[in-house]
Amino acid sequence: MLPVYPTPRLPAEIVGGSGANVLAGRATRVVESDGRDMTQTYLLAAWLALETAQQQGCRVALLSDGSPTCGSQFIYDGSFSGQRQPGAGVALLRQHGIAVFAEHQAGELLAHLNRIAAADRPLLPG
C-alpha cells in the first residue's frame, strides 16, 4: 500500500541539482522543508503522471513553474530561501514526447496547439 501524504504538502525543493539529476539517480534529492527526503515519492509521482498522460493520449502539458515536480523553466535552488535557478523538475513528460509549457507561456502553448490542430487536419482535395 502506498503511503498517504496530506494536502497541502510541505514545501519541497530539489537539493544539489535539477530534476534530470534526480531522474538519473545521481546524488540529488527532493526534500521537504522539514528535511524529510521525498525523492522516491516524487519519482513515483513522475512515473504515474507519465503513465496517465500516455493512457489519455496527452500531447501537451501546462505545469506550474518552480515546482520540484512540474518546473519547466526554473526550480528553486534547494535552500528554501526563495532563490530560483534555471532548470526543470522531476517530470518525465518531455523525455517522452509531450510538450511542456509553464503557466506564463500561454501564448506559446496556444501557438503549439494551433500547429497540432493544423497538422491533424486532413487536406481537402483541391
Short mmCIF file of all heavy atoms in Angstrom, two decimals, residues 5 9 12 16 30 52 56 64 66 72 75-76 78-79 82 84 87-89 91 94 99 101 105 112 118 125:
data_model
loop_
_atom_site.label_atom_id
_atom_site.label_comp_id
_atom_site.label_asym_id
_atom_site.label_seq_id
_atom_site.Cartn_x
_atom_site.Cartn_y
_atom_site.Cartn_z
N TYR A 5 -0.09 11.06 1.87
CA TYR A 5 0.51 12.32 2.27
C TYR A 5 -0.58 13.38 2.27
O TYR A 5 -1.33 13.51 1.31
CB TYR A 5 1.64 12.72 1.32
CG TYR A 5 2.79 11.73 1.39
CD1 TYR A 5 2.94 10.76 0.42
CD2 TYR A 5 3.68 11.77 2.45
CE1 TYR A 5 3.97 9.84 0.50
CE2 TYR A 5 4.71 10.86 2.54
CZ TYR A 5 4.85 9.90 1.56
OH TYR A 5 5.87 8.99 1.65
N ARG A 9 0.80 19.84 1.04
CA ARG A 9 2.06 19.26 1.48
C ARG A 9 3.01 20.36 1.91
O ARG A 9 2.83 21.52 1.57
CB ARG A 9 2.69 18.46 0.32
CG ARG A 9 1.87 17.26 -0.10
CD ARG A 9 2.54 16.51 -1.24
NE ARG A 9 2.76 17.34 -2.44
CZ ARG A 9 1.83 17.59 -3.36
NH1 ARG A 9 0.62 17.10 -3.22
NH2 ARG A 9 2.11 18.33 -4.41
N ALA A 12 8.63 21.62 -0.95
CA ALA A 12 9.71 20.70 -1.29
C ALA A 12 10.58 21.34 -2.37
O ALA A 12 10.08 22.10 -3.21
CB ALA A 12 9.16 19.38 -1.78
N GLY A 16 20.78 20.18 -4.64
CA GLY A 16 22.01 19.75 -5.27
C GLY A 16 21.93 19.46 -6.75
O GLY A 16 22.77 18.73 -7.28
N VAL A 30 15.11 15.22 -3.46
CA VAL A 30 13.98 16.11 -3.27
C VAL A 30 13.65 16.04 -1.79
O VAL A 30 13.38 14.95 -1.26
CB VAL A 30 12.76 15.67 -4.11
CG1 VAL A 30 11.59 16.62 -3.87
CG2 VAL A 30 13.10 15.58 -5.59
N THR A 52 -0.32 8.07 -16.83
CA THR A 52 -1.66 8.62 -17.03
C THR A 52 -1.72 9.45 -18.31
O THR A 52 -2.67 9.32 -19.10
CB THR A 52 -2.07 9.48 -15.82
OG1 THR A 52 -2.05 8.66 -14.65
CG2 THR A 52 -3.45 10.08 -16.01
N GLN A 56 -4.01 8.60 -21.73
CA GLN A 56 -5.02 9.55 -22.20
C GLN A 56 -4.66 10.19 -23.54
O GLN A 56 -5.40 11.03 -24.05
CB GLN A 56 -5.25 10.63 -21.14
CG GLN A 56 -5.77 10.10 -19.82
CD GLN A 56 -7.07 9.36 -19.99
OE1 GLN A 56 -8.00 9.81 -20.66
NE2 GLN A 56 -7.17 8.18 -19.37
N SER A 64 3.09 24.02 -13.44
CA SER A 64 3.46 25.18 -12.63
C SER A 64 4.97 25.30 -12.50
O SER A 64 5.62 24.39 -11.98
CB SER A 64 2.85 25.06 -11.23
OG SER A 64 1.46 25.09 -11.30
N GLY A 66 8.59 26.32 -11.10
CA GLY A 66 9.13 26.42 -9.76
C GLY A 66 8.95 25.16 -8.94
O GLY A 66 9.67 24.92 -7.99
N SER A 72 9.33 23.81 -15.35
CA SER A 72 9.82 23.56 -16.71
C SER A 72 10.84 24.61 -17.16
O SER A 72 11.64 24.35 -18.04
CB SER A 72 8.67 23.50 -17.70
OG SER A 72 8.00 24.74 -17.78
N ILE A 75 13.47 26.10 -11.24
CA ILE A 75 13.18 25.43 -9.97
C ILE A 75 13.85 26.25 -8.88
O ILE A 75 14.66 27.14 -9.16
CB ILE A 75 13.70 23.97 -9.95
CG1 ILE A 75 15.20 23.92 -10.26
CG2 ILE A 75 12.91 23.10 -10.91
CD1 ILE A 75 15.82 22.55 -10.11
N TYR A 76 13.51 25.97 -7.64
CA TYR A 76 14.19 26.63 -6.53
C TYR A 76 15.48 25.90 -6.22
O TYR A 76 15.64 24.72 -6.53
CB TYR A 76 13.25 26.72 -5.33
CG TYR A 76 12.13 27.70 -5.60
CD1 TYR A 76 10.90 27.26 -6.06
CD2 TYR A 76 12.34 29.06 -5.44
CE1 TYR A 76 9.89 28.17 -6.36
CE2 TYR A 76 11.33 29.97 -5.73
CZ TYR A 76 10.11 29.51 -6.19
OH TYR A 76 9.12 30.42 -6.48
N GLY A 78 17.02 24.72 -3.63
CA GLY A 78 17.18 23.71 -2.59
C GLY A 78 17.53 24.27 -1.23
O GLY A 78 17.68 23.53 -0.27
N SER A 79 17.62 25.59 -1.12
CA SER A 79 17.98 26.21 0.16
C SER A 79 16.75 26.71 0.93
O SER A 79 16.89 27.19 2.05
CB SER A 79 18.93 27.38 -0.08
OG SER A 79 18.27 28.44 -0.77
N GLY A 82 13.90 30.92 -1.35
CA GLY A 82 13.20 31.61 -2.43
C GLY A 82 14.07 31.87 -3.63
O GLY A 82 13.62 32.52 -4.58
N ARG A 84 15.77 31.21 -7.07
CA ARG A 84 15.44 30.40 -8.24
C ARG A 84 16.69 30.14 -9.07
O ARG A 84 17.65 30.90 -9.01
CB ARG A 84 14.40 31.11 -9.10
CG ARG A 84 13.13 31.36 -8.37
CD ARG A 84 12.06 32.12 -9.07
NE ARG A 84 12.33 32.71 -10.36
CZ ARG A 84 11.42 33.25 -11.13
NH1 ARG A 84 10.16 33.28 -10.74
NH2 ARG A 84 11.72 33.78 -12.29
N GLY A 87 16.16 25.48 -14.71
CA GLY A 87 16.11 24.03 -14.63
C GLY A 87 14.69 23.53 -14.65
O GLY A 87 13.73 24.30 -14.68
N ALA A 88 14.58 22.22 -14.65
CA ALA A 88 13.27 21.56 -14.69
C ALA A 88 13.14 20.62 -13.51
O ALA A 88 14.13 20.14 -12.96
CB ALA A 88 13.11 20.80 -16.00
N GLY A 89 11.91 20.33 -13.16
CA GLY A 89 11.63 19.42 -12.06
C GLY A 89 11.69 17.96 -12.49
O GLY A 89 12.14 17.63 -13.59
N ALA A 91 10.05 15.64 -13.91
CA ALA A 91 8.95 15.35 -14.83
C ALA A 91 9.49 14.55 -16.01
O ALA A 91 10.53 14.89 -16.56
CB ALA A 91 8.28 16.63 -15.31
N ARG A 94 8.45 15.53 -21.03
CA ARG A 94 9.25 15.99 -22.18
C ARG A 94 10.07 14.85 -22.78
O ARG A 94 10.17 14.73 -23.99
CB ARG A 94 10.21 17.09 -21.76
CG ARG A 94 9.69 18.45 -22.00
CD ARG A 94 10.81 19.49 -21.93
NE ARG A 94 10.21 20.79 -21.95
CZ ARG A 94 10.37 21.72 -21.04
NH1 ARG A 94 11.17 21.49 -20.01
NH2 ARG A 94 9.76 22.87 -21.14
N ALA A 99 4.91 17.87 -25.08
CA ALA A 99 5.37 19.26 -24.99
C ALA A 99 4.94 19.84 -23.65
O ALA A 99 3.79 19.67 -23.24
CB ALA A 99 4.79 20.08 -26.13
N PHE A 101 4.73 23.25 -21.09
CA PHE A 101 4.71 24.71 -21.01
C PHE A 101 4.45 25.13 -19.58
O PHE A 101 3.72 24.46 -18.85
CB PHE A 101 3.62 25.29 -21.92
CG PHE A 101 3.84 25.00 -23.38
CD1 PHE A 101 3.35 23.83 -23.94
CD2 PHE A 101 4.56 25.88 -24.17
CE1 PHE A 101 3.57 23.55 -25.29
CE2 PHE A 101 4.78 25.61 -25.51
CZ PHE A 101 4.28 24.44 -26.06
N GLN A 105 3.59 30.82 -20.20
CA GLN A 105 3.81 30.60 -21.63
C GLN A 105 2.51 30.33 -22.37
O GLN A 105 2.48 29.57 -23.34
CB GLN A 105 4.76 29.41 -21.83
CG GLN A 105 6.15 29.63 -21.30
CD GLN A 105 7.02 28.42 -21.54
OE1 GLN A 105 6.77 27.35 -21.01
NE2 GLN A 105 8.03 28.59 -22.37
N HIS A 112 1.35 26.39 -30.18
CA HIS A 112 1.65 24.96 -30.33
C HIS A 112 0.38 24.17 -30.61
O HIS A 112 0.36 23.30 -31.48
CB HIS A 112 2.35 24.44 -29.07
CG HIS A 112 2.81 23.03 -29.18
ND1 HIS A 112 3.95 22.68 -29.87
CD2 HIS A 112 2.27 21.88 -28.73
CE1 HIS A 112 4.11 21.37 -29.81
NE2 HIS A 112 3.10 20.86 -29.12
N ALA A 118 -3.56 22.16 -36.97
CA ALA A 118 -3.34 22.30 -38.41
C ALA A 118 -2.74 21.03 -39.00
O ALA A 118 -3.11 20.59 -40.09
CB ALA A 118 -2.44 23.49 -38.71
N PRO A 125 -9.30 17.64 -50.91
CA PRO A 125 -8.90 17.52 -52.31
C PRO A 125 -9.07 18.86 -53.01
O PRO A 125 -10.07 19.56 -52.80
CB PRO A 125 -9.83 16.46 -52.88
CG PRO A 125 -10.80 16.11 -51.80
CD PRO A 125 -10.42 16.82 -50.56
#
